[in-house]
Amino acid sequence: MKHFTARLAIVLLLFSTWPVAAGPQGEVSDTDPTFSILRRDAQGLPTWITGKLGTLEGPDLARSAAARLPELVARHLGGSGREELVERRSSVDSGGRLHVRFQQTLRGLPVVGAELIVHIEQATGEIVGVNGRFARDEGLSTEPTLAAGEALDMARRQAGVGSGSRLDDPELTYVLHPDTGRAHLAWAANVRYESPEGKLADRLFADANDGSLVLSMPQQLFAKRRNTYTANNDTDLPGTLLISDDEPKLPPPNDPDAETVHDHAGLVYDFHASSFGRDGIDGNGGIIRSSVHYGNNVDLARYQLVWNDGVREDVIWYGDGDSDFLPLGRALDVVAHEMQHGVTIYDVGLPFEGESNALHEALSDVFGAAAEAWVDGGVNSNTWKIAEDVYLGGSALRFMDDPALDGHSIDFLPELDLSLSPNDNAGILNLAFYLLVEGGTHPRGKTTINVSGIGMSSAQRIFYDAMSYLGGNIDFEDMRQAALSAAAAAYGMGSGQYQSTNDAFCAVGYECEDTSVAVSFPAVADAWVDQRAPNANHGSSQILRVRSAATGYGLHTYTKFSVFGVTGPVQSARLKIRTHTQDFTGSRIYHMVSSSWAENTITWNNAPLAFHTQWALGPLDANTWYEFDVTSLIGGNGVYTLGLVAYDEPNLAFRSRESPYKPELIVTYQQ
């Protein structure tokens, strides 16, 4: 495990400041202690930062974030200052954290794959993280030199689409290359073509200057308003309407497969509504379109983007199977898997390239299993089998608890192989999710980490909230950071849920070696308040005096510590204070109260010290550093009220402002 030690400031909370990077504008500095860079893209631009990134004011935090974001991009993400970012939508996770998504545009054109997500603590308005990818407006082409048709024909041939027809007019856009992260001016269009699997559609992005294929995005995925159709063993979608929640007077369908798919779609809708408060696939009550009897001898199910007369109507179609499969829609987890593809499209917009494609499939497996467990009333052995109700070639199509059982799925991140299908690589995240729910070790002994299971309810909440941190072309490491961020927001960095989330990813091969670093911050003494004179300003003094209580437990002096920059579970926390120029004898007891104490609830006598730790000390020497273990009080980033009280010594004093004797809070955390 990585262990990090951070020396954190005692920060006066009366000010709301904006951190300035150490380097000149446009350069990124890793030495600024107010934030940490967790990820960079292929061009070296930060893609994930956390820390104290500024405090927003006003009732509309999303609007305030939009106004602050250009400055943040320029200072911390290496932007030029000319990037345009438009708010797309916002959401609040189960921990009360606000996530605001911004789509980038350049000179009025969208930048496909360029999205930044700002994460805000609603209670305080503090920006605690930004992640995503964007195109720096430096040296980019501004005018196409190739006509749209010419460029798209060249890209179509590179994509292996021999013939096909465009479904819409080409549009000029910018697009991020999935591997290099570089922005290209491109012509984009949706192209329909015939394949052995039926009619498919891809969105092609052709470089507007050389015609090279920059990106190909399939518009279909493998895999409570409901319309259920039959494709009549054809491939034209959606087909003939059989059952509709909006048209109850339709005649009985006399089609058991259509009725089963319709019922399964309703159960999955209920799972999303009950578990996450979600209204359908798009979150806004949109129609769930399903089509059975797709093609002949088709052993697939897919979520497909379909255009009818220029109108997009997403359809999930189900083949009738072949010698290896029964009709696919008879399996609840298959229906849930395909519906989750739609959820991921609407919420995250992952492209179907590289590792993003594997994560798309994994998230669908995860929520397919979660939906099945919800319908079954709890987790059982079949929860971790995929398509077990329709697969005839064995006991299941895939196994989340032991992915390698199928003979080809990957269960260890170092073995990731993008030449395999995305379903095979999905086994890595599938196993991590299984371990997070059930606990245990890697089934093939590839690591020895023993994960403590947290149950389906907490695990599915973490993975669902994690989607709020994902966008654009992501990789497996982004998924880990998103899950850890979601766990921290929902349960706290010092929680068992956070630790188990971290361990689950480590158990499937994520890098988790031991490392230690330290960052030191100065203390601000005028945050200390004398309980007996709470309006007194001690800022002019270099000495913190803790007077003895006459009777009972009296809290005489306290301060607020602002802890930031911690990105993992807290392993230990120590308060380090230096005595003044006088020896002290007798016994002392020091009390420290948690952040749940507000200033106006700390009483002078007989305080209800429900959240306290105490130490009995012997004689204290002058000009000596003393450390107190406060691990039980520090749960991660946040504001903590800590206080001191003395017995048997009427004039005990510590250094409080004089450098280099300022007190420190030293937190060691794991990542």
Side-chain angles (χ1 to χ4, degrees), residues 151-161 204 206-207 210-214:
L152 286 166
D153 282 344
M154 296 169 66
R156 176 176 53 80
R157 289 191 292 271
Q158 293 179 51
V161 179
L204 302 183
D207 190 290
D210 62 19
S212 61
L213 178 66
V214 182

Side-chain angles (χ1 to χ4, degrees), residues 201-548:
D202 292 350
R203 186 161 184 81
L204 302 183
F205 295 84
D207 190 290
N209 294 299
D210 62 19
S212 61
L213 178 66
V214 182
L215 181 64
S216 175
M217 296 176 61
Q219 301 299 285
Q220 58 280 317
L221 304 180
F222 293 86
K224 173 167 145 183
R225 295 174 60 204
R226 298 164 292 168
N227 283 355
T228 303
Y229 305 78
T230 175
N232 299 302
N233 297 116
D234 200 349
T235 58
D236 289 330
L237 293 172
T240 304
L241 182 62
L242 296 179
I243 313 172
S244 175
D245 291 338
D246 294 336
E247 298 184 41
K249 294 183 179 181
L250 285 171
N254 295 320
D255 188 328
D257 285 316
E259 293 176 299
T260 298
V261 165
H262 194 78
D263 290 343
H264 282 168
L267 288 171
V268 177
Y269 175 95
D270 292 342
F271 159 70
H272 284 139
S274 174
S275 301
F276 313 118
R278 187 180 188 89
D279 186 8
I281 289 175
D282 64 357
N284 293 307
I287 296 174
I288 302 169
R289 298 179 183 87
S290 308
S291 185
V292 298
H293 309 307
Y294 180 87
N296 286 295
N297 298 315
V298 175
D299 60 356
L300 297 170
R302 285 183 174 174
Y303 187 103
Q304 182 159 333
L305 278 60
V306 176
W307 285 264
N308 286 317
D309 298 325
V311 178
R312 176 179 154 183
E313 297 179 342
D314 296 4
V315 179
I316 304 171
W317 55 256
Y318 301 91
D320 284 337
D322 54 14
S323 60
D324 289 330
F325 285 90
L326 297 173
L328 277 295
R330 296 182 186 179
L332 174 72
D333 59 353
V334 171
V335 174
H337 175 108
E338 299 304 330
M339 288 177 64
Q340 179 62 35
H341 276 310
V343 171
T344 306
I345 286 174
Y346 278 102
D347 280 13
V348 185
L350 295 184
F352 310 115
E353 286 279 328
E355 295 181 40
S356 289
N357 205 354
L359 291 168
H360 225 308
E361 293 297 336
L363 288 171
S364 283
D365 284 348
V366 161
F367 289 102
E372 185 176 277
W374 183 82
V375 172
D376 289 345
V379 174
N380 57 56
S381 60
N382 283 336
T383 301
W384 309 113
K385 297 176 181 178
I386 298 173
E388 71 277 9
D389 293 330
V390 296
Y391 185 57
L392 303 176
S395 59
L397 179 64
R398 293 192 295 279
F399 304 86
M400 296 180 69
D401 56 346
D402 189 359
L405 272 179
D406 64 14
H408 44 79
S409 285
I410 305 300
D411 61 5
F412 196 52
L413 184 59
E415 298 171 3
L416 177 71
D417 184 352
L418 295 181
S419 69
L420 300 176
S421 80
N423 299 91
D424 290 341
N425 287 314
I428 299 166
L429 190 64
N430 287 352
L431 179 56
F433 183 75
Y434 162 78
L435 292 172
L436 182 60
V437 174
E438 299 274 46
T441 59
H442 194 290
R444 305 278 165 164
K446 295 181 180 180
T447 64
T448 59
I449 297 167
N450 195 342
V451 183
S452 296
I454 64 174
M456 180 64 82
S457 179
S458 295
Q460 72 185 26
R461 167 54 67 183
I462 289 170
F463 270 56
Y464 184 83
D465 287 351
M467 291 192 294
S468 296
Y469 296 84
L470 298 174
N473 199 312
I474 64 170
D475 57 23
F476 275 84
E477 180 58 33
D478 288 315
M479 185 66 222
R480 169 166 66 170
Q481 294 294 345
L484 289 174
S485 296
Y491 302 106
M493 283 187 175
S495 66
Q497 292 91 336
Y498 185 99
Q499 180 65 58
S500 291
T501 302
N502 186 67
D503 288 348
F505 283 95
C506 295
V508 297
Y510 281 75
E511 188 175 337
C512 299
E513 75 277 7
D514 288 334
T515 307
S516 294
V517 297
V519 182
S520 181
F521 301 92
V524 179
D526 53 359
W528 292 94
V529 177
D530 189 324
Q531 173 62 29
R532 294 184 299 181
N535 295 321
N537 184 355
H538 291 243
S540 60
S541 173
Q542 293 182 343
I543 306 302
L544 165 64
R545 295 193 180 277
V546 185
R547 299 178 178 86
S548 175

Side-chain angles (χ1 to χ4, degrees), residues 10-275:
I10 304 174
V11 179
L12 185 60
L13 300 181
L14 300 178
F15 301 102
S16 172
T17 60
W18 182 255
V20 180
Q25 183 164 318
E27 296 182 6
V28 177
S29 170
D30 288 320
T31 61
D32 187 338
T34 60
F35 75 101
S36 301
I37 299 174
L38 302 182
R39 305 290 314 280
R40 293 181 185 269
D41 65 13
Q43 298 193 95
L45 295 176
T47 60
W48 202 304
I49 63 173
T50 61
K52 291 180 68 68
L53 302 175
T55 303
L56 304 175
E57 298 179 353
D60 191 340
L61 293 179
R63 189 171 184 177
S64 297
R68 186 66 65 87
L69 188 56
E71 182 181 7
L72 189 151
V73 169
R75 291 191 177 193
H76 295 307
L77 300 181
S80 67
R82 296 186 297 274
E83 291 80 9
E84 306 156 4
L85 294 154
V86 180
E87 181 186 348
R88 190 157 67 88
R89 70 173 185 275
S90 60
S91 61
V92 178
D93 65 25
S94 60
R97 186 171 287 180
L98 175 67
H99 310 276
V100 188
R101 292 175 179 267
F102 294 88
Q103 172 67 49
Q104 184 183 1
T105 63
L106 284 172
R107 289 173 279 281
L109 298 178
V111 185
V112 176
E115 179 183 68
L116 291 177
I117 312 169
V118 180
H119 312 289
I120 305 161
E121 293 289 358
Q122 284 197 113
T124 63
E126 180 150 359
I127 301 173
V128 296
V130 177
N131 70 285
R133 287 160 174 80
F134 75 102
R136 188 176 184 181
D137 189 11
E138 293 287 353
L140 300 180
S141 175
T142 59
E143 296 291 338
T145 59
L146 293 178
E150 181 183 5
L152 286 166
D153 282 344
M154 296 169 66
R156 176 176 53 80
R157 289 191 292 271
Q158 293 179 51
V161 179
S163 62
S165 59
R166 288 205 301 266
L167 298 175
D168 52 7
D169 293 329
E171 64 176 3
L172 194 62
T173 185
Y174 285 97
V175 60
L176 291 185
H177 192 286
D179 296 326
T180 67
R182 179 173 169 267
H184 293 250
L185 184 67
W187 289 107
N190 294 302
V191 178
R192 177 179 288 171
Y193 58 96
E194 293 285 345
S195 81
E197 298 166 347
K199 294 178 180 178
L200 302 181
D202 292 350
R203 186 161 184 81
L204 302 183
F205 295 84
D207 190 290
N209 294 299
D210 62 19
S212 61
L213 178 66
V214 182
L215 181 64
S216 175
M217 296 176 61
Q219 301 299 285
Q220 58 280 317
L221 304 180
F222 293 86
K224 173 167 145 183
R225 295 174 60 204
R226 298 164 292 168
N227 283 355
T228 303
Y229 305 78
T230 175
N232 299 302
N233 297 116
D234 200 349
T235 58
D236 289 330
L237 293 172
T240 304
L241 182 62
L242 296 179
I243 313 172
S244 175
D245 291 338
D246 294 336
E247 298 184 41
K249 294 183 179 181
L250 285 171
N254 295 320
D255 188 328
D257 285 316
E259 293 176 299
T260 298
V261 165
H262 194 78
D263 290 343
H264 282 168
L267 288 171
V268 177
Y269 175 95
D270 292 342
F271 159 70
H272 284 139
S274 174
S275 301

